[in-house]
Amino acid sequence: MRAQGQPEDPFMHWRDVEDGALLEHAANEQPGAVEELVARFGDRLCSYLMRVVRDRAWAEDLVQEVFLRALQEAHRYDPNWPLRVWLFRIGRNIALDLLRSEAGHRARTQSQPAPITAPAAITTAEHREFQVALESALQRLPEEFRSVFLLREGESLSYDEIGAVLNISSKTVSSRLHRARQQLRTFLQPHIEQ
């Protein structure tokens, strides 16, 4: 409850608004709606995109591009899917376009891989070494396996949601996820046996 004479918090108004409706309000430039949209989805998008492009600055730029495109194309959003699925799909497409570009490829080969964040309690040298090995193993996966793995394990999307992001069937998602896990086990075997 706000005190009499104090301005209303523009973010408070949007906290209980359903995602699809929030997108519509944000696209119509309602005060506070864009900020709430970014607050709901920005961190997860950035985390995912950082693993795709392996560069924090690029990922942050891509997140901004995702929201710009989403606002411009809000009329294309299909409310039968969670909004995060649509945003991840936009983000993945933009990231892959960037990586495919010649300039993107040159810059990528010069950048350092984005580390996978380990829980704070994991500080031993062996665990840090395993984290580096895991990141390396993820980068060795073919893109179609890596994307499925990251969306499932990193973002906890369902098979149907992953299928919508990647424009493939949930059966294909299951198959690719199985193959990704198999390949990761193979790549990480020397580190697991230690």
Side-chain angles (χ1 to χ4, degrees):
M1 183 174 184
R2 66 183 171 99
Q4 203 169 12
Q6 287 185 338
E8 183 178 333
D9 179 359
F11 298 103
M12 188 62 83
H13 174 71
W14 301 113
R15 289 193 180 128
D16 296 325
V17 174
E18 184 267 332
D19 293 342
L22 179 63
L23 173 65
E24 185 177 328
H25 289 294
N28 290 322
E29 301 179 15
Q30 296 293 310
V34 171
E35 291 83 355
E36 178 63 24
L37 191 66
V38 171
R40 285 187 195 181
F41 300 103
D43 288 344
R44 290 185 71 185
L45 269 170
C46 190
S47 173
Y48 170 67
L49 291 171
M50 197 164 73
R51 287 194 169 158
V52 174
V53 298
R54 301 177 67 200
D55 184 282
R56 182 177 257 318
W58 278 10
E60 290 170 353
D61 289 346
L62 290 173
V63 168
Q64 291 179 20
E65 182 66 24
V66 168
F67 285 118
L68 286 174
R69 287 201 190 171
L71 294 173
Q72 292 168 350
E73 300 179 13
H75 62 281
R76 294 179 159 207
Y77 169 63
D78 179 356
N80 292 318
W81 290 100
L83 181 57
R84 68 185 172 137
V85 168
W86 189 59
L87 294 173
F88 275 106
R89 185 174 190 164
I90 293 170
R92 179 179 179 271
N93 291 339
I94 294 170
L96 291 180
D97 287 347
L98 174 68
L99 293 175
R100 285 185 194 118
S101 73
E102 189 175 332
H105 176 71
R106 279 195 309 268
R108 181 176 180 231
T109 59
Q110 296 170 356
S111 67
Q112 295 296 317
I116 295 175
T117 307
I122 299 177
T123 57
T124 65
E126 295 84 18
H127 283 96
R128 283 192 300 269
E129 183 179 314
F130 183 80
Q131 289 299 113
V132 170
L134 177 58
E135 176 61 30
S136 175
L138 282 170
Q139 294 310 315
R140 290 174 61 190
L141 287 176
E143 192 280 325
E144 65 268 12
F145 295 165
R146 184 173 55 248
S147 290
V148 169
F149 184 83
L150 291 175
L151 290 169
R152 179 64 182 164
E153 301 302 331
E155 302 305 327
S156 302
L157 269 63
S158 71
Y159 286 24
D160 287 339
E161 291 171 337
I162 295 168
V165 170
L166 303 177
N167 202 24
I168 58 176
S169 71
S170 58
K171 185 175 179 179
T172 302
V173 169
S174 177
S175 173
R176 287 183 184 178
L177 184 59
H178 176 72
R179 292 191 59 198
R181 288 174 175 159
Q182 282 182 320
Q183 287 187 18
L184 284 173
R185 274 190 217 100
T186 300
F187 295 155
L188 294 170
Q189 193 64 38
H191 298 278
I192 295 170
E193 292 174 349
Q194 292 180 357

